[in-house]
Amino acid sequence: MHIGCHLSSSDGFLAMGKTALSIGADTFQFFTRNPRGGSVKPFNKADAENLVTLLQANNFAPILAHAPYTLNACAADEGLRQYALDVMKDDMFRMDHFPGAMYNFHPGSHVKQGVDVGIEYISSMLNNLLTAGQKTVVLLETMAGKGSEVGRTFEELRAILDRVELSEKMGVCLDTCHVFDGGYDIVNHLDDVLDEFDKVVGLKKLKAIHLNDSKNPMGSHKDRHEVIGGGFIGLDALVRVIKHPALKDLPFYLETPNELPGYEAEIKLLRSK
């Protein structure tokens, strides 16, 4: 099982890799820049190369970068949509220094424009972003459905993917808290949920799992993560996720409300199952 957690990039790329190793992880996720803003440090190519050497020497699974929360590819304001595109273009430049890496983003909120308009804006942005030569796979994240979020259903993700010209550069990151909060019963009917995902999106497009428990019941549309085993999904159901034949070879990334000792304990717990 490939499993890691969300680490801070403030100390640099190599430091994240060393931290991941210290807590028993063989992958990790990080924000490309300030998650609540967008500011970013100058890119340190030497630091990036040092991390690549460490990842290769320790057989890491693909690392996952997460776009800042402030991006909204389907905002009503054209300037905000352009900002999302500009940030993601810079992030693609940075991420292409890490072979096999992936880049995850929240599709966005249509802000009362309607989901169809949101889908068109998101797919248009992706068509302006993706290039045939890029190495990084871009992932749409499954969303919990709070407010006017796009991506609350598998059908909405499929509608975006259908409109992207370079579809081979795209994938999906399934967040266990989000799909549960969105109304998909991964506790009692995991097989059925994955069958539905396969029929609508295709399991070949599923590239990563955010492994989180939920503070709220199924269908709540709240998006509040909980520590593993501490929420309404529960440890047993999450173990079934990591052991499922269709998922077990994917990389899992913890986004639970923890500090490093908590992540280390969760990684040890899940590896023992």
Side-chain angles (χ1 to χ4, degrees):
M1 176 180 61
H2 301 295
I3 188 166
C5 62
H6 194 98
L7 299 176
S8 171
S9 60
S10 59
D11 294 328
F13 296 125
L14 181 60
M16 287 191 290
K18 291 180 176 179
T19 297
L21 286 173
S22 75
I23 61 173
D26 63 355
T27 187
F28 60 88
Q29 176 180 264
F30 66 101
F31 282 116
T32 56
R33 59 193 64 221
N34 183 343
R36 303 292 180 185
S39 59
V40 63
K41 294 180 180 178
F43 184 72
N44 187 329
K45 185 177 180 181
D47 188 28
E49 291 172 346
N50 287 335
L51 173 60
V52 170
T53 300
L54 181 77
L55 299 179
Q56 293 173 343
N58 291 277
N59 298 312
F60 268 57
I63 58 173
L64 179 63
H66 199 304
Y69 295 131
T70 48
L71 301 192
N72 187 359
C74 57
D77 185 282
E78 183 179 358
L80 294 178
R81 298 197 302 273
Q82 183 64 46
Y83 173 73
L85 175 61
D86 292 344
V87 167
M88 290 177 72
K89 280 185 174 180
D90 184 57
D91 284 348
M92 288 300 99
F93 160 77
R94 293 163 181 265
M95 293 311 300
D96 268 2
H97 289 80
F98 304 101
M102 300 181 290
Y103 179 83
N104 177 72
F105 79 105
H106 293 183
S109 297
H110 61 73
V111 202
K112 298 182 180 180
Q113 299 175 97
V115 68
D116 291 340
V117 173
I119 287 169
E120 290 296 335
Y121 278 143
I122 296 163
S123 57
S124 175
M125 187 272 293
L126 288 167
N127 284 328
N128 283 313
L129 170 72
L130 302 176
T131 64
Q134 76 178 61
K135 304 181 185 75
T136 304
V137 174
V138 176
L139 307 184
L140 296 167
E141 184 170 343
T142 58
M143 303 308 296
K146 68 180 189 295
S148 60
E149 283 180 338
V150 178
R152 69 182 68 198
T153 66
F154 299 156
E155 286 79 8
E156 290 180 6
L157 297 176
R158 179 75 260 174
I160 296 169
L161 294 171
D162 282 344
R163 291 163 173 77
V164 175
E165 294 161 5
L166 295 174
S167 60
E168 69 274 13
K169 304 296 184 183
M170 293 294 303
V172 172
C173 176
L174 187 149
D175 186 299
T176 54
C177 171
H178 293 179
V179 295
F180 183 72
D181 281 22
Y184 292 97
D185 190 357
I186 60 171
V187 174
N188 301 299
H189 299 287
L190 178 60
D191 283 342
D192 293 338
V193 172
L194 293 178
D195 284 346
E196 183 176 352
F197 184 94
D198 193 30
K199 290 175 183 175
V200 176
V201 179
L203 282 169
K204 66 183 179 187
K205 282 294 187 186
L206 186 55
K207 305 296 184 182
I209 305 286
H210 282 164
L211 196 69
N212 305 302
D213 215 322
S214 175
K215 290 183 181 292
N216 293 286
M218 188 182 75
S220 62
H221 303 295
K222 295 291 187 182
D223 184 10
R224 294 190 66 209
H225 298 189
E226 182 55 281
V227 296
I228 300 298
F232 282 89
I233 298 176
L235 176 60
D236 290 345
L238 291 170
V239 169
R240 288 194 291 273
V241 169
I242 64 175
K243 289 189 171 184
H244 195 282
L247 308 177
K248 63 183 179 65
D249 294 326
L250 293 173
F252 297 91
Y253 307 88
L254 297 165
E255 294 181 320
T256 50
N258 270 316
E259 302 295 333
L260 284 177
Y263 282 135
E264 183 175 16
E266 288 185 339
I267 291 169
K268 184 177 181 180
L269 171 65
L270 291 166
R271 289 200 187 281
S272 72
K273 297 298 181 179

